[in-house]
PDB file of all heavy atoms in Angstrom:
ATOM      1  N   LEU A 237     -15.869  -5.508   7.589  1.00 81.00           N
ATOM      2  CA  LEU A 237     -16.232  -6.895   7.885  1.00 81.00           C
ATOM      3  C   LEU A 237     -15.301  -7.610   8.872  1.00 81.00           C
ATOM      4  O   LEU A 237     -15.726  -8.512   9.576  1.00 81.00           O
ATOM      5  CB  LEU A 237     -16.264  -7.706   6.586  1.00 81.00           C
ATOM      6  CG  LEU A 237     -17.343  -7.309   5.587  1.00 81.00           C
ATOM      7  CD1 LEU A 237     -17.155  -8.078   4.300  1.00 81.00           C
ATOM      8  CD2 LEU A 237     -18.717  -7.565   6.169  1.00 81.00           C
ATOM      9  N   GLY A 238     -14.025  -7.173   8.873  1.00 76.00           N
ATOM     10  CA  GLY A 238     -13.006  -7.907   9.631  1.00 76.00           C
ATOM     11  C   GLY A 238     -13.411  -8.209  11.069  1.00 76.00           C
ATOM     12  O   GLY A 238     -13.301  -9.335  11.544  1.00 76.00           O
ATOM     13  N   GLY A 239     -13.893  -7.180  11.769  1.00 76.00           N
ATOM     14  CA  GLY A 239     -14.224  -7.332  13.180  1.00 76.00           C
ATOM     15  C   GLY A 239     -15.342  -8.326  13.416  1.00 76.00           C
ATOM     16  O   GLY A 239     -15.336  -9.064  14.406  1.00 76.00           O
ATOM     17  N   SER A 240     -16.312  -8.373  12.474  1.00 83.00           N
ATOM     18  CA  SER A 240     -17.462  -9.245  12.725  1.00 83.00           C
ATOM     19  C   SER A 240     -17.064 -10.719  12.669  1.00 83.00           C
ATOM     20  O   SER A 240     -17.661 -11.548  13.345  1.00 83.00           O
ATOM     21  CB  SER A 240     -18.586  -8.946  11.726  1.00 83.00           C
ATOM     22  OG  SER A 240     -18.098  -9.021  10.416  1.00 83.00           O
ATOM     23  N   VAL A 241     -16.023 -11.046  11.895  1.00 89.00           N
ATOM     24  CA  VAL A 241     -15.572 -12.436  11.817  1.00 89.00           C
ATOM     25  C   VAL A 241     -15.162 -12.919  13.209  1.00 89.00           C
ATOM     26  O   VAL A 241     -15.531 -14.003  13.648  1.00 89.00           O
ATOM     27  CB  VAL A 241     -14.379 -12.580  10.841  1.00 89.00           C
ATOM     28  CG1 VAL A 241     -13.828 -13.985  10.869  1.00 89.00           C
ATOM     29  CG2 VAL A 241     -14.805 -12.208   9.433  1.00 89.00           C
ATOM     30  N   LEU A 242     -14.410 -12.076  13.917  1.00 89.00           N
ATOM     31  CA  LEU A 242     -13.928 -12.448  15.250  1.00 89.00           C
ATOM     32  C   LEU A 242     -15.075 -12.743  16.202  1.00 89.00           C
ATOM     33  O   LEU A 242     -15.064 -13.742  16.918  1.00 89.00           O
ATOM     34  CB  LEU A 242     -13.073 -11.314  15.819  1.00 89.00           C
ATOM     35  CG  LEU A 242     -11.683 -11.143  15.210  1.00 89.00           C
ATOM     36  CD1 LEU A 242     -11.113  -9.794  15.577  1.00 89.00           C
ATOM     37  CD2 LEU A 242     -10.762 -12.243  15.687  1.00 89.00           C
ATOM     38  N   SER A 243     -16.090 -11.856  16.201  1.00 87.00           N
ATOM     39  CA  SER A 243     -17.163 -12.065  17.173  1.00 87.00           C
ATOM     40  C   SER A 243     -18.001 -13.294  16.810  1.00 87.00           C
ATOM     41  O   SER A 243     -18.475 -14.000  17.687  1.00 87.00           O
ATOM     42  CB  SER A 243     -18.027 -10.816  17.304  1.00 87.00           C
ATOM     43  OG  SER A 243     -18.404 -10.361  16.045  1.00 87.00           O
ATOM     44  N   ILE A 244     -18.147 -13.560  15.510  1.00 90.00           N
ATOM     45  CA  ILE A 244     -18.935 -14.737  15.107  1.00 90.00           C
ATOM     46  C   ILE A 244     -18.209 -16.028  15.500  1.00 90.00           C
ATOM     47  O   ILE A 244     -18.806 -16.964  16.019  1.00 90.00           O
ATOM     48  CB  ILE A 244     -19.202 -14.696  13.589  1.00 90.00           C
ATOM     49  CG1 ILE A 244     -20.177 -13.556  13.275  1.00 90.00           C
ATOM     50  CG2 ILE A 244     -19.747 -16.033  13.092  1.00 90.00           C
ATOM     51  CD1 ILE A 244     -20.259 -13.189  11.823  1.00 90.00           C
ATOM     52  N   ALA A 246     -16.263 -16.755  17.843  1.00 89.00           N
ATOM     53  CA  ALA A 246     -16.228 -17.096  19.262  1.00 89.00           C
ATOM     54  C   ALA A 246     -17.388 -18.031  19.625  1.00 89.00           C
ATOM     55  O   ALA A 246     -17.316 -18.764  20.595  1.00 89.00           O
ATOM     56  CB  ALA A 246     -16.276 -15.826  20.105  1.00 89.00           C
ATOM     57  N   PHE A 259      -6.326 -14.750  11.256  1.00 94.00           N
ATOM     58  CA  PHE A 259      -7.300 -13.745  10.837  1.00 94.00           C
ATOM     59  C   PHE A 259      -6.645 -12.685   9.975  1.00 94.00           C
ATOM     60  O   PHE A 259      -5.527 -12.256  10.244  1.00 94.00           O
ATOM     61  CB  PHE A 259      -7.942 -13.067  12.057  1.00 94.00           C
ATOM     62  CG  PHE A 259      -8.753 -14.003  12.889  1.00 94.00           C
ATOM     63  CD1 PHE A 259      -8.282 -14.439  14.117  1.00 94.00           C
ATOM     64  CD2 PHE A 259      -9.969 -14.465  12.433  1.00 94.00           C
ATOM     65  CE1 PHE A 259      -9.021 -15.319  14.882  1.00 94.00           C
ATOM     66  CE2 PHE A 259     -10.721 -15.341  13.203  1.00 94.00           C
ATOM     67  CZ  PHE A 259     -10.239 -15.772  14.421  1.00 94.00           C
ATOM     68  N   LEU A 261      -6.801  -9.137   9.231  1.00 88.00           N
ATOM     69  CA  LEU A 261      -7.391  -7.947   9.856  1.00 88.00           C
ATOM     70  C   LEU A 261      -6.820  -6.671   9.269  1.00 88.00           C
ATOM     71  O   LEU A 261      -5.722  -6.658   8.728  1.00 88.00           O
ATOM     72  CB  LEU A 261      -7.105  -7.940  11.357  1.00 88.00           C
ATOM     73  CG  LEU A 261      -7.691  -9.073  12.197  1.00 88.00           C
ATOM     74  CD1 LEU A 261      -7.373  -8.822  13.661  1.00 88.00           C
ATOM     75  CD2 LEU A 261      -9.195  -9.194  12.003  1.00 88.00           C
ATOM     76  N   TYR A 264      -5.819  -1.492  12.540  1.00 83.00           N
ATOM     77  CA  TYR A 264      -6.313  -0.999  13.828  1.00 83.00           C
ATOM     78  C   TYR A 264      -7.120  -2.064  14.574  1.00 83.00           C
ATOM     79  O   TYR A 264      -7.316  -1.966  15.778  1.00 83.00           O
ATOM     80  CB  TYR A 264      -7.112   0.286  13.634  1.00 83.00           C
ATOM     81  CG  TYR A 264      -6.313   1.291  12.847  1.00 83.00           C
ATOM     82  CD1 TYR A 264      -6.713   1.713  11.595  1.00 83.00           C
ATOM     83  CD2 TYR A 264      -5.109   1.757  13.356  1.00 83.00           C
ATOM     84  CE1 TYR A 264      -5.938   2.596  10.872  1.00 83.00           C
ATOM     85  CE2 TYR A 264      -4.327   2.637  12.640  1.00 83.00           C
ATOM     86  CZ  TYR A 264      -4.740   3.053  11.391  1.00 83.00           C
ATOM     87  OH  TYR A 264      -3.971   3.916  10.679  1.00 83.00           O
ATOM     88  N   GLU A 265      -7.570  -3.069  13.816  1.00 82.00           N
ATOM     89  CA  GLU A 265      -8.278  -4.166  14.448  1.00 82.00           C
ATOM     90  C   GLU A 265      -7.339  -4.893  15.409  1.00 82.00           C
ATOM     91  O   GLU A 265      -7.770  -5.558  16.328  1.00 82.00           O
ATOM     92  CB  GLU A 265      -8.754  -5.150  13.387  1.00 82.00           C
ATOM     93  CG  GLU A 265     -10.071  -5.770  13.727  1.00 82.00           C
ATOM     94  CD  GLU A 265     -11.161  -5.163  12.899  1.00 82.00           C
ATOM     95  OE1 GLU A 265     -10.988  -5.094  11.668  1.00 82.00           O
ATOM     96  OE2 GLU A 265     -12.147  -4.741  13.480  1.00 82.00           O
ATOM     97  N   GLY A 266      -6.049  -4.755  15.153  1.00 80.00           N
ATOM     98  CA  GLY A 266      -5.047  -5.375  16.013  1.00 80.00           C
ATOM     99  C   GLY A 266      -5.130  -4.845  17.444  1.00 80.00           C
ATOM    100  O   GLY A 266      -4.572  -5.420  18.366  1.00 80.00           O
ATOM    101  N   LEU A 267      -5.800  -3.708  17.621  1.00 78.00           N
ATOM    102  CA  LEU A 267      -5.928  -3.128  18.961  1.00 78.00           C
ATOM    103  C   LEU A 267      -7.382  -3.139  19.422  1.00 78.00           C
ATOM    104  O   LEU A 267      -7.743  -2.478  20.374  1.00 78.00           O
ATOM    105  CB  LEU A 267      -5.448  -1.671  18.934  1.00 78.00           C
ATOM    106  CG  LEU A 267      -3.979  -1.419  18.652  1.00 78.00           C
ATOM    107  CD1 LEU A 267      -3.735   0.054  18.410  1.00 78.00           C
ATOM    108  CD2 LEU A 267      -3.120  -1.918  19.789  1.00 78.00           C
ATOM    109  N   SER A 268      -8.217  -3.885  18.697  1.00 80.00           N
ATOM    110  CA  SER A 268      -9.655  -3.725  18.927  1.00 80.00           C
ATOM    111  C   SER A 268     -10.187  -4.565  20.083  1.00 80.00           C
ATOM    112  O   SER A 268      -9.571  -5.526  20.518  1.00 80.00           O
ATOM    113  CB  SER A 268     -10.416  -4.102  17.660  1.00 80.00           C
ATOM    114  OG  SER A 268     -10.287  -5.497  17.461  1.00 80.00           O
ATOM    115  N   ASP A 269     -11.365  -4.179  20.516  1.00 81.00           N
ATOM    116  CA  ASP A 269     -12.056  -4.935  21.549  1.00 81.00           C
ATOM    117  C   ASP A 269     -12.382  -6.342  21.071  1.00 81.00           C
ATOM    118  O   ASP A 269     -12.283  -7.301  21.813  1.00 81.00           O
ATOM    119  CB  ASP A 269     -13.384  -4.249  21.908  1.00 81.00           C
ATOM    120  CG  ASP A 269     -13.142  -2.991  22.708  1.00 81.00           C
ATOM    121  OD1 ASP A 269     -12.013  -2.831  23.218  1.00 81.00           O
ATOM    122  OD2 ASP A 269     -14.069  -2.178  22.816  1.00 81.00           O
ATOM    123  N   SER A 270     -12.799  -6.451  19.799  1.00 84.00           N
ATOM    124  CA  SER A 270     -13.209  -7.775  19.327  1.00 84.00           C
ATOM    125  C   SER A 270     -12.039  -8.759  19.379  1.00 84.00           C
ATOM    126  O   SER A 270     -12.233  -9.924  19.696  1.00 84.00           O
ATOM    127  CB  SER A 270     -13.827  -7.706  17.927  1.00 84.00           C
ATOM    128  OG  SER A 270     -13.204  -6.765  17.128  1.00 84.00           O
ATOM    129  N   LEU A 271     -10.825  -8.273  19.097  1.00 88.00           N
ATOM    130  CA  LEU A 271      -9.672  -9.177  19.164  1.00 88.00           C
ATOM    131  C   LEU A 271      -9.391  -9.551  20.625  1.00 88.00           C
ATOM    132  O   LEU A 271      -9.138 -10.720  20.939  1.00 88.00           O
ATOM    133  CB  LEU A 271      -8.445  -8.536  18.519  1.00 88.00           C
ATOM    134  CG  LEU A 271      -7.219  -9.443  18.419  1.00 88.00           C
ATOM    135  CD1 LEU A 271      -7.507 -10.668  17.567  1.00 88.00           C
ATOM    136  CD2 LEU A 271      -6.021  -8.701  17.843  1.00 88.00           C
ATOM    137  N   ALA A 272      -9.462  -8.549  21.496  1.00 87.00           N
ATOM    138  CA  ALA A 272      -9.205  -8.817  22.916  1.00 87.00           C
ATOM    139  C   ALA A 272     -10.229  -9.813  23.450  1.00 87.00           C
ATOM    140  O   ALA A 272      -9.893 -10.724  24.211  1.00 87.00           O
ATOM    141  CB  ALA A 272      -9.268  -7.510  23.702  1.00 87.00           C
ATOM    142  N   ARG A 273     -11.487  -9.640  23.022  1.00 88.00           N
ATOM    143  CA  ARG A 273     -12.543 -10.557  23.491  1.00 88.00           C
ATOM    144  C   ARG A 273     -12.279 -11.973  22.986  1.00 88.00           C
ATOM    145  O   ARG A 273     -12.412 -12.940  23.711  1.00 88.00           O
ATOM    146  CB  ARG A 273     -13.910 -10.088  22.976  1.00 88.00           C
ATOM    147  CG  ARG A 273     -14.629  -9.167  23.952  1.00 88.00           C
ATOM    148  CD  ARG A 273     -16.100  -9.052  23.582  1.00 88.00           C
ATOM    149  NE  ARG A 273     -16.274  -8.449  22.274  1.00 88.00           N
ATOM    150  CZ  ARG A 273     -16.408  -7.138  22.086  1.00 88.00           C
ATOM    151  NH1 ARG A 273     -16.384  -6.315  23.105  1.00 88.00           N
ATOM    152  NH2 ARG A 273     -16.563  -6.644  20.872  1.00 88.00           N
ATOM    153  N   PHE A 274     -11.862 -12.071  21.711  1.00 91.00           N
ATOM    154  CA  PHE A 274     -11.609 -13.389  21.146  1.00 91.00           C
ATOM    155  C   PHE A 274     -10.437 -14.058  21.873  1.00 91.00           C
ATOM    156  O   PHE A 274     -10.461 -15.257  22.145  1.00 91.00           O
ATOM    157  CB  PHE A 274     -11.333 -13.301  19.642  1.00 91.00           C
ATOM    158  CG  PHE A 274     -11.324 -14.635  18.965  1.00 91.00           C
ATOM    159  CD1 PHE A 274     -12.510 -15.290  18.683  1.00 91.00           C
ATOM    160  CD2 PHE A 274     -10.129 -15.263  18.645  1.00 91.00           C
ATOM    161  CE1 PHE A 274     -12.511 -16.546  18.088  1.00 91.00           C
ATOM    162  CE2 PHE A 274     -10.125 -16.518  18.052  1.00 91.00           C
ATOM    163  CZ  PHE A 274     -11.315 -17.152  17.764  1.00 91.00           C
ATOM    164  N   GLU A 275      -9.460 -13.248  22.214  1.00 89.00           N
ATOM    165  CA  GLU A 275      -8.297 -13.770  22.932  1.00 89.00           C
ATOM    166  C   GLU A 275      -8.736 -14.339  24.280  1.00 89.00           C
ATOM    167  O   GLU A 275      -8.300 -15.414  24.695  1.00 89.00           O
ATOM    168  CB  GLU A 275      -7.289 -12.628  23.133  1.00 89.00           C
ATOM    169  CG  GLU A 275      -5.909 -13.106  23.498  1.00 89.00           C
ATOM    170  CD  GLU A 275      -4.959 -11.945  23.752  1.00 89.00           C
ATOM    171  OE1 GLU A 275      -5.243 -10.824  23.304  1.00 89.00           O
ATOM    172  OE2 GLU A 275      -3.940 -12.183  24.419  1.00 89.00           O
ATOM    173  N   ARG A 276      -9.637 -13.613  24.940  1.00 90.00           N
ATOM    174  CA  ARG A 276     -10.129 -14.111  26.237  1.00 90.00           C
ATOM    175  C   ARG A 276     -10.935 -15.388  26.055  1.00 90.00           C
ATOM    176  O   ARG A 276     -10.855 -16.312  26.848  1.00 90.00           O
ATOM    177  CB  ARG A 276     -10.982 -13.036  26.921  1.00 90.00           C
ATOM    178  CG  ARG A 276     -10.151 -11.990  27.626  1.00 90.00           C
ATOM    179  CD  ARG A 276     -10.963 -11.249  28.685  1.00 90.00           C
ATOM    180  NE  ARG A 276     -12.054 -10.506  28.110  1.00 90.00           N
ATOM    181  CZ  ARG A 276     -11.917  -9.321  27.514  1.00 90.00           C
ATOM    182  NH1 ARG A 276     -10.713  -8.776  27.412  1.00 90.00           N
ATOM    183  NH2 ARG A 276     -12.949  -8.677  27.017  1.00 90.00           N
ATOM    184  N   HIS A 277     -11.705 -15.434  24.964  1.00 91.00           N
ATOM    185  CA  HIS A 277     -12.504 -16.625  24.672  1.00 91.00           C
ATOM    186  C   HIS A 277     -11.584 -17.838  24.463  1.00 91.00           C
ATOM    187  O   HIS A 277     -11.839 -18.932  24.950  1.00 91.00           O
ATOM    188  CB  HIS A 277     -13.363 -16.363  23.433  1.00 91.00           C
ATOM    189  CG  HIS A 277     -13.850 -17.601  22.735  1.00 91.00           C
ATOM    190  ND1 HIS A 277     -14.860 -18.375  23.237  1.00 91.00           N
ATOM    191  CD2 HIS A 277     -13.442 -18.199  21.586  1.00 91.00           C
ATOM    192  CE1 HIS A 277     -15.054 -19.400  22.421  1.00 91.00           C
ATOM    193  NE2 HIS A 277     -14.220 -19.316  21.418  1.00 91.00           N
ATOM    194  N   MET A 284      -2.557 -17.782  17.971  1.00 95.00           N
ATOM    195  CA  MET A 284      -3.198 -16.738  17.172  1.00 95.00           C
ATOM    196  C   MET A 284      -2.217 -16.195  16.140  1.00 95.00           C
ATOM    197  O   MET A 284      -1.073 -15.876  16.454  1.00 95.00           O
ATOM    198  CB  MET A 284      -3.629 -15.586  18.077  1.00 95.00           C
ATOM    199  CG  MET A 284      -4.855 -15.893  18.904  1.00 95.00           C
ATOM    200  SD  MET A 284      -6.340 -15.835  17.877  1.00 95.00           S
ATOM    201  CE  MET A 284      -6.617 -14.070  17.795  1.00 95.00           C
ATOM    202  N   TYR A 312       1.543 -13.620  19.522  1.00 95.00           N
ATOM    203  CA  TYR A 312       0.887 -13.783  18.230  1.00 95.00           C
ATOM    204  C   TYR A 312       1.952 -13.935  17.137  1.00 95.00           C
ATOM    205  O   TYR A 312       3.061 -13.455  17.278  1.00 95.00           O
ATOM    206  CB  TYR A 312       0.083 -12.531  17.873  1.00 95.00           C
ATOM    207  CG  TYR A 312      -1.207 -12.340  18.617  1.00 95.00           C
ATOM    208  CD1 TYR A 312      -1.344 -12.703  19.942  1.00 95.00           C
ATOM    209  CD2 TYR A 312      -2.295 -11.751  17.979  1.00 95.00           C
ATOM    210  CE1 TYR A 312      -2.534 -12.494  20.617  1.00 95.00           C
ATOM    211  CE2 TYR A 312      -3.483 -11.531  18.644  1.00 95.00           C
ATOM    212  CZ  TYR A 312      -3.600 -11.906  19.969  1.00 95.00           C
ATOM    213  OH  TYR A 312      -4.773 -11.682  20.624  1.00 95.00           O
TER     214      TYR A 312
ATOM    215  N   GLN B  13      -5.032   2.585  24.576  1.00 42.00           N
ATOM    216  CA  GLN B  13      -4.436   1.376  24.021  1.00 42.00           C
ATOM    217  C   GLN B  13      -2.925   1.521  23.930  1.00 42.00           C
ATOM    218  O   GLN B  13      -2.180   0.577  24.175  1.00 42.00           O
ATOM    219  CB  GLN B  13      -5.050   1.108  22.652  1.00 42.00           C
ATOM    220  CG  GLN B  13      -6.451   0.557  22.820  1.00 42.00           C
ATOM    221  CD  GLN B  13      -7.305   0.809  21.612  1.00 42.00           C
ATOM    222  OE1 GLN B  13      -7.008   1.673  20.805  1.00 42.00           O
ATOM    223  NE2 GLN B  13      -8.376   0.079  21.490  1.00 42.00           N
ATOM    224  N   GLU B 165     -12.687  -3.596  29.378  1.00 34.00           N
ATOM    225  CA  GLU B 165     -13.723  -2.982  28.537  1.00 34.00           C
ATOM    226  C   GLU B 165     -13.950  -1.533  28.932  1.00 34.00           C
ATOM    227  O   GLU B 165     -13.991  -0.648  28.111  1.00 34.00           O
ATOM    228  CB  GLU B 165     -15.046  -3.740  28.675  1.00 34.00           C
ATOM    229  CG  GLU B 165     -14.978  -5.171  28.211  1.00 34.00           C
ATOM    230  CD  GLU B 165     -14.506  -5.306  26.789  1.00 34.00           C
ATOM    231  OE1 GLU B 165     -15.049  -4.601  25.930  1.00 34.00           O
ATOM    232  OE2 GLU B 165     -13.576  -6.094  26.549  1.00 34.00           O
ATOM    233  N   ARG B 168     -11.416   0.847  27.774  1.00 31.00           N
ATOM    234  CA  ARG B 168     -11.473   1.128  26.349  1.00 31.00           C
ATOM    235  C   ARG B 168     -12.610   2.097  26.023  1.00 31.00           C
ATOM    236  O   ARG B 168     -12.487   2.935  25.177  1.00 31.00           O
ATOM    237  CB  ARG B 168     -11.636  -0.162  25.568  1.00 31.00           C
ATOM    238  CG  ARG B 168     -10.350  -0.926  25.521  1.00 31.00           C
ATOM    239  CD  ARG B 168     -10.416  -2.003  24.460  1.00 31.00           C
ATOM    240  NE  ARG B 168      -9.118  -2.610  24.320  1.00 31.00           N
ATOM    241  CZ  ARG B 168      -8.687  -3.629  25.053  1.00 31.00           C
ATOM    242  NH1 ARG B 168      -9.456  -4.148  25.955  1.00 31.00           N
ATOM    243  NH2 ARG B 168      -7.487  -4.126  24.870  1.00 31.00           N
TER     244      ARG B 168
END
Side-chain angles (χ1 to χ4, degrees):
Chain A
L237 294 173
S240 54
V241 174
L242 287 164
S243 49
I244 291 166
F259 295 106
L261 297 184
Y264 308 115
E265 215 105 50
L267 294 170
S268 69
D269 287 344
S270 36
L271 185 61
R273 268 196 297 270
F274 191 77
E275 196 183 341
R276 279 200 296 281
H277 159 75
M284 285 285 280
Y312 285 36
Chain B
Q13 285 156 341
E165 297 304 311
R168 285 195 173 87

